[in-house]
Amino acid sequence: TLQRLVTFQAVPAEARVRKKSNIVEEGKDPEVNSVLYVERAKTFCEDYSKDLHLIQNNCWTFAFDMIRYLLQDDQVATN
C-alpha cells in the first residue's frame, strides 16, 4: 500500500470502525443523537467505494465527505 501511495497510485479504501468504550466522562452527558451519527458514519464507510490517492482522494477528502454526509439531513431539517 505504502509503495503504491508514494508512487502516486490509488489504493482501495478500507474504512475501519472502532468500538467506543462505555466510559462516560464525569459531568458530561452523552448526546442523544450520537447513536444516529455513529450509524450514519458506519453506513457511509460501508458504502464508500472510491480508491484513495495522495493527491485527489485522500484521508482529508474522505473526512470532509463523511462530515458532509453526516450533516446533510441536519441541514434539510433546519431549512
Side-chain angles (χ1 to χ4, degrees), residues 53-68:
H53 191 277
L54 279 180
I55 297 173
Q56 298 167 346
N57 187 45
N58 53 43
C59 59
W60 289 98
T61 57
F62 172 84
F64 288 126
D65 288 346
M66 180 185 285
I67 291 168
R68 193 175 309 119

Side-chain angles (χ1 to χ4, degrees), residues 6-74:
V6 297
T7 57
F8 299 106
Q9 297 177 35
V11 295
E14 180 183 332
R16 299 181 186 132
V17 179
R18 296 178 68 180
K19 295 203 183 277
K20 180 181 174 187
S21 70
N22 292 330
I23 300 171
V24 176
E25 293 182 35
E26 189 175 331
K28 291 188 177 181
D29 293 331
E31 297 254 348
V32 176
N33 292 331
S34 64
V35 173
L36 178 61
Y37 283 113
V38 169
E39 290 304 315
R40 285 187 197 167
K42 285 181 184 178
T43 300
F44 177 83
C45 291
E46 291 168 356
D47 295 343
Y48 196 79
S49 61
K50 297 178 186 176
D51 285 344
L52 296 177
H53 191 277
L54 279 180
I55 297 173
Q56 298 167 346
N57 187 45
N58 53 43
C59 59
W60 289 98
T61 57
F62 172 84
F64 288 126
D65 288 346
M66 180 185 285
I67 291 168
R68 193 175 309 119
Y69 178 84
L70 292 175
L71 297 178
Q72 71 184 359
D73 288 341
D74 290 344

